[in-house]
Amino acid sequence: MCLACAVLMCMCAALPAAASADTSAVEEAQYGVVRVISDAGYYLNLGTGFAVGKTDDDEEIIVTNNHVIEDPSFPIYVTITDINGTIPAKLLYNDPQKDLAVIEVSEPLSQRHPLVLLDPDDLVKSQDVYCL
């Protein structure tokens, strides 16, 4: 299954069975969230995105909203709080109708790791789920 299809299928971060429903899940999720910037030259589109994939993958895939990217010809950058500056990114997929965009950063993100995304079929009754 392609990455975009997997992302469209489920945009929910589900807690592992052993995790408690307190703030630890939200605190853990913050390490997968990034700032996405699209530079139109005369203004900046700002938004957030989150890393997806496996923690041992070399590629760094970010899911964000299409309205943040707006025009695929504009340069795209990602920044996080623990770096000075930005990291260039390229658009892999976008769907204006679903307001979804998938981008790849050109270098690994320090201190960041992907959010755990589950297939809806893997969810169990009464499991805590946070939708993004």
Side-chain angles (χ1 to χ4, degrees):
M1 174 185 313
C2 73
L3 174 65
C5 296
V7 171
L8 286 172
M9 187 172 74
C10 180
M11 297 277 294
C12 295
L15 294 174
S20 65
D22 63 3
T23 60
S24 63
V26 175
E27 290 172 3
E28 184 68 20
Q30 74 179 333
Y31 296 108
V33 177
V34 298
R35 168 78 63 187
V36 178
I37 304 165
S38 177
D39 185 355
Y42 47 92
Y43 67 91
L44 296 175
N45 284 332
L46 302 174
T48 57
F50 57 91
V52 296
K54 298 178 183 172
T55 55
D56 56 349
D57 282 348
D58 287 337
E59 59 188 2
E60 299 285 346
I61 305 296
I62 307 294
V63 176
T64 188
N65 296 104
N66 186 71
H67 71 265
V68 174
I69 306 302
E70 188 176 332
D71 184 337
S73 68
F74 296 159
I76 304 166
Y77 303 96
V78 169
T79 188
I80 55 178
T81 55
D82 44 350
I83 65 168
N84 260 342
T86 58
I87 301 170
K90 68 177 181 179
L91 182 66
L92 297 179
Y93 172 85
N94 69 313
D95 186 334
Q97 298 290 0
K98 294 184 172 117
D99 195 25
L100 178 72
V102 179
I103 60 176
E104 180 179 16
V105 292
S106 61
E107 59 188 73
L109 298 171
S110 65
Q111 306 295 320
R112 294 293 184 252
H113 52 81
L115 297 181
V116 177
L117 300 181
L118 296 180
D119 185 306
D121 294 335
D122 294 336
L123 297 175
V124 295
K125 190 174 185 177
S126 300
Q127 182 175 4
D128 292 321
V129 175
Y130 296 93
C131 292
L132 305 171

